[in-house]
Amino acid sequence: MTELPDARLDQLLARHAEIEHALSGTPDADSFVRLSREFADLAPLVASVKALRAAQRELRDARALAEDALTDREMADLAEEEAAELEEKVEALAYEVRLALLPKDAMDERGVILEVRAGTGGDEAALFAGDLFRMYERFAALNGWSVEVLSLTEGAAGGFKEIVAALHGRGAYAKLKFESGVHRVQRVPETEASGRIHTSAATVAVLPEVEEVDVDINEADLRIDVFRASGAGGQHVNKTESAVRITHLPTGVVVAVQDERSQHKNKARAMALLRAKLYEAEREKRDSARASERKVQVGSGDRSERIRTYNFPQGRVTDHRIGLTLHKLPDILAGDGLGELVDALTTEYQAALLAEAESAGWGER
């Protein structure tokens, strides 16, 4: 592990102090907002650096006391024990600082647009898509996020052929962004009389919720159609053209959202979904342009990649990107066990970024 870039850390500490001084004055409203955000962004790093440097000073003092010829044996032994504990503390704090130095994904604090679609496997794939959506729905509840279904198409035997939902909550994208890809299930369908195990799949896409300022959309590039919604809602759904379909003509991206009553609300939701899709398409294009230079497998976001297998007979879930198998399938599908997978994927991703940053000499934060 390479040494921390102390000169850069000094610069960031100085910048934090400079912002603090500026905020204590009377900056204009725009400057206040901008400086406050930068100050808050730097705060965790500054706290970790200060704690690290304090621990390093304590470690130097403990080592000096232990090595001083004038120190009696009992005191030297105590100093050596303290030094050993401080070494562990310094190592942990240095890791915190390294993580804080990693470039931040601007979308990590956003909510997400979640799309789950049945893949190969017919009715069983739709049932599995339903299982996956309920898993994310429960995981959202455990994290205090709200779930808003934007559109859905039910499967003939249950589950969903497709379901799109917005998960509103701070940090949802940071936790769920590695869920994009093909999820495979191996189990005996209820309709299988011979007890033969079937394999089917569903595709998950996780997009960050983006704001109007994040994506520039020209109204002239849109074709907006309204039509009668299908599904729950009774006679009103059948008689009122409240569903909205928006086509982005330059890219061919099409989104459709339906609500029980409000065409206006449907259009707003459809625009939110369109912004998310256009933002993600642009980011994928940007990332692929430098794929030859940089490839962090966990964060590749390739929706055609088989990322995970849920094996019911053995009660196990395997994430193929990091080679992790957990024999906790019921807990994971119930939502409360998904956090262990999420944490493992995040740790692996951070480790890859750390290795990349250190080999490149850290660059700029």
Side-chain angles (χ1 to χ4, degrees), residues 171-329:
Y173 185 67
K175 286 185 176 291
L176 293 179
K177 62 184 178 182
F178 303 130
E179 292 300 299
S180 291
V182 177
H183 296 240
R184 184 179 67 168
V185 63
Q186 296 172 327
R187 63 183 174 189
V188 179
E190 293 181 6
T191 56
E192 177 57 60
S194 66
R196 184 168 60 92
I197 295 174
H198 284 224
T199 297
S200 54
T203 301
V204 173
V206 177
L207 312 174
E209 283 187 317
V210 297
E211 300 170 359
E212 289 186 33
V213 295
D214 298 316
V215 179
D216 183 23
I217 299 178
N218 188 339
E219 289 283 341
D221 291 335
L222 303 179
R223 185 178 73 233
I224 301 176
D225 303 305
V226 294
F227 57 98
R228 292 180 183 178
S230 60
Q235 293 182 350
H236 176 83
V237 169
N238 296 325
K239 294 181 178 179
T240 305
E241 293 187 334
S242 60
V244 175
R245 180 189 301 112
I246 301 179
T247 304
H248 186 249
L249 300 175
T251 61
V253 173
V254 179
V255 297
V257 174
Q258 60 186 39
D259 186 75
E260 288 190 6
R261 294 184 180 277
S262 173
Q263 184 184 119
H264 178 72
K265 184 184 294 184
N266 285 338
K267 182 181 177 183
R269 290 175 174 176
M271 285 299 297
L273 180 54
L274 178 63
R275 283 195 297 270
K277 285 181 173 290
L278 293 179
Y279 179 89
E280 189 67 9
E282 185 59 33
R283 183 153 75 167
E284 286 177 1
K285 186 189 303 181
R286 188 169 64 245
D287 289 347
S288 65
R290 54 179 188 149
S292 59
E293 302 173 15
R294 179 178 185 270
K295 180 71 171 179
V296 180
Q297 183 62 29
V298 172
S300 66
D302 184 353
R303 296 180 204 172
S304 65
E305 175 193 4
R306 189 192 72 190
I307 64 169
R308 195 175 294 155
T309 295
Y310 303 73
N311 184 291
F312 275 70
Q314 297 178 22
R316 62 174 169 82
V317 177
T318 298
D319 195 286
H320 304 290
R321 295 163 296 180
I322 58 176
L324 175 65
T325 295
L326 298 175
H327 292 272
K328 300 179 179 180
L329 188 147

Side-chain angles (χ1 to χ4, degrees), residues 60-72 75-76 78-79 82:
R60 286 194 296 270
D61 292 343
R63 284 174 174 168
L65 184 60
E67 295 168 2
D68 192 332
L70 298 178
T71 304
D72 63 62
M75 182 62 72
L78 288 173
E82 184 182 7

Side-chain angles (χ1 to χ4, degrees), residues 112-118 129-130 133 136-137 146-154 159-168 203-207 209 254-259 266 269-274 276-277 303:
V112 303
I113 303 293
L114 173 72
E115 300 177 337
V116 183
R117 291 184 173 85
F133 179 75
Y136 293 124
E137 194 173 32
S146 63
V147 178
E148 177 186 17
V149 174
L150 302 181
S151 66
L152 64 86
T153 303
E154 295 178 338
F160 304 107
K161 290 182 179 179
E162 172 184 307
I163 183 165
V164 182
L167 276 56
H168 305 295
T203 301
V204 173
V206 177
L207 312 174
E209 283 187 317
V254 179
V255 297
V257 174
Q258 60 186 39
D259 186 75
N266 285 338
R269 290 175 174 176
M271 285 299 297
L273 180 54
L274 178 63
K277 285 181 173 290
R303 296 180 204 172

